[in-house]
Structures are given as C-alpha cells and as structure tokens.
Amino acid sequence: MKKVIILGSTNVDTILNVQRFPQPGETMAMNSMAVAGGGKGANQAIAAVRSGAETTFISKVGHEGAANFMLDTFKEDGMNIDHVTTSETAGTGQAYIMVDENGQNSILIYGGANQDITNEDIQAAKGSIKAADRIVAQFEVPIPSVIEAFKIARENDVQTILNPAPAIKNIPDDLLSVTDMIVPNETESEIITGIKVTDEASMEASAKEFFKMGVKAVIITVGDRGSFYATSEQSGFVNAFKVKAADTTAAGDTFIGALSSKLELDYSNLEEAMTYANKASSLAVQIKGAQNSIPYAKDILAD
C-alpha cells in the first residue's frame, strides 16, 4: 500500500447543466443544478484513497456548513485529515462548473480558504510528509506552500508529483528543482513549454523541454485519447478506454489520484499504472459530478 500525501484545494462545486455554453451577453435557462464536493486536491485525495492508498490530505477550509459537508465526505472514505485546518479569515473554496450536453465543462474558481495555506501549515505536516512514499500538489493553493512541502519531501527521499493546474507560464525554478514528475494536460503543457501538443512527436518535444527544466519524468494527458509518458529511459503512449462521457469534471484528478496509488517509485510499472488510471478516468466521466463519480479500486479492477 502506497503512503500518499495530497497537498491541495478543497472546494464545494455548484454544477450547472446546460444545453450549450452561453455566448457573451446571452441569458439562457439551465437544464439542472447540483451541489457537490470538489477541488483538485480533494478530488485527487479521494481518488487515491478509493484506489487503496494510505492517503493524508493537507488542505484548508472555512468555518461554515460547507466545510463540515466536505470533512464528513473525507472521513467516510477513510482519509487522514489531521492536516485539514480551518481558516480564520476566508470561507471554503467554491467552484462554479458549467457542463454542456456533450460532457464538456467550463469552470470558475473562488480560492477562499485554499489561498490561506501557509508554510507554517506545511511545517505542521512535516512528520507526515517525511513518512510518505510520495506527495502530490497542484496550483489551487499558494505556490510557496507547494515549494516548502516539496523541499521537505526531497530532503527525505519522498517522491514529488506536480499537477501544474491551473497552468502558469513560468513555474518557479525553486519548485521545478524539487519536482520528480510533472503531469499536465495538453493545454497546460503548451502554456508551460510553448509547444502545441498535436501528436506523439510534439509530446516528445514537450517532454524534452520539461527535462531541461529539471524534472525526471513527464506524463501528458490528452483527454479521451489517453496519456503520453517519458522518462530518461523510456517513452510511449497509453490509450484511453473508449466510453460516452456524461461529464469530464474531475477526470484528470481521478487519473492523478489513481496513478499515485499504484505507481512504483522507480517507474517500473509506469504503463500498468497509467492503464489503471486511464480506466479510473473512463469510469468517472460516465457519471455527472466530481467526487461522486470517482470510482473505487474494485470497480476499476472489474472486467
């Protein structure tokens, strides 16, 4: 069983189901609305724990009822939430997600308490980070806190995986220097490297740019096509499972959380772990919503 730390955001998602996305200035009716748990960090932590990883979550929430709703969800899945703390100044993060009839989404984020995570919070979790196999983080929390956590990890031979989302063009060198693996989607990869991802050759070129930045391994996810991988020793492509998507929300987070639960630290089972993660994502996109759609290991391993 892998010991996984997830450092990241906790959001409450308001999901707006629409026939199509509105044009600028247009007013239109929704098909339906729902409220559910979300946030890239929380999604990835739930995906990891549901795939059998011993998962500790580092996050921050507000004082309101939304926070209790999220904490109850984490407890139900058996996640360690000793380092999910409460902000004294901000509410729990919020996300507003529009999903069209083809399952594509557009998302607006209010950071809230997620932006209150500090280096002091990371230091409080130092013992847990030191005891882990790997730590995963994204950019929905302050980058200085991610750097602090990854430095602790690197000093203690704990593998670091960065999901650079939402993407920023210039990732600080201090962070890249302590990142073992980076996992962007094709859009995020293009923003960071400047190389448009269109085929396997452009993915290879993108990976070389990431290697120049100092990371040791790269996975680029490309939606319903699958995912590309590259290390100093190997590269290749793992095809996605073909399904009809109802909602792509949390597909990438499901992939990363599931991957973190199965990947060996020496990448010896990289293709196998990616196939498992691709299947997890294929199950998630067939159900509307974020955390409620994230599958359990028994479902992913079923024929």
Side-chain angles (χ1 to χ4, degrees), residues 33-68:
M33 184 184 81
V35 177
K40 284 188 172 295
N43 294 343
Q44 291 174 19
I46 287 175
V49 75
R50 289 183 182 176
S51 279
E54 185 179 320
T55 306
T56 297
F57 189 29
I58 304 173
S59 191
K60 189 164 277 192
V61 295
H63 277 288
E64 73 286 77
N68 294 329

Side-chain angles (χ1 to χ4, degrees), residues 35-238:
V35 177
K40 284 188 172 295
N43 294 343
Q44 291 174 19
I46 287 175
V49 75
R50 289 183 182 176
S51 279
E54 185 179 320
T55 306
T56 297
F57 189 29
I58 304 173
S59 191
K60 189 164 277 192
V61 295
H63 277 288
E64 73 286 77
N68 294 329
F69 166 67
M70 295 303 301
L71 294 174
D72 288 343
T73 300
F74 300 155
K75 291 174 185 176
E76 286 174 9
D77 275 311
M79 193 188 304
N80 181 339
I81 57 172
D82 290 347
H83 302 296
V84 179
T85 55
T86 303
S87 171
E88 298 301 324
T89 59
T92 302
Q94 303 280 336
Y96 298 89
I97 305 167
M98 278 197 301
V99 183
D100 72 11
E101 290 188 340
N102 296 315
Q104 295 302 308
N105 61 55
S106 292
I107 305 174
L108 295 172
I109 299 290
Y110 160 68
N114 297 309
Q115 296 304 310
D116 277 358
I117 296 176
T118 65
N119 285 4
E120 288 72 23
D121 295 316
I122 302 305
Q123 284 295 325
K126 185 174 182 177
S128 295
I129 296 172
K130 290 170 64 175
D133 292 313
R134 62 171 49 97
I135 183 170
V136 182
Q138 325 78 35
F139 286 159
E140 287 186 345
V141 297
I143 290 177
S145 67
V146 178
I147 295 172
E148 184 74 6
F150 276 25
K151 283 182 176 178
I152 293 170
R154 177 59 62 86
E155 290 167 359
N156 292 277
D157 297 321
V158 175
Q159 189 181 73
T160 56
I161 298 179
L162 178 64
N163 172 216
I168 59 174
K169 184 170 179 59
N170 296 307
I171 300 174
D173 290 341
D174 284 354
L175 178 54
L176 290 167
S177 68
V178 288
T179 296
D180 293 316
M181 173 181 276
I182 194 164
V183 188
N185 64 24
E186 69 267 43
T187 303
E188 293 153 359
S189 179
E190 181 181 354
I191 290 170
I192 297 164
T193 66
I195 299 172
K196 187 174 181 62
V197 173
T198 56
D199 53 19
E200 199 160 331
S202 59
M203 295 177 202
E204 291 273 9
S206 299
K208 290 178 181 177
E209 287 302 310
F210 283 119
F211 292 152
K212 290 177 185 177
M213 296 176 190
V215 301
K216 299 182 179 68
V218 178
I219 294 177
I220 302 173
T221 60
V222 286
D224 60 5
R225 286 185 287 163
S227 45
F228 168 85
Y229 67 89
T231 68
S232 60
E233 299 177 350
Q234 58 180 329
S235 67
F237 194 87
V238 178

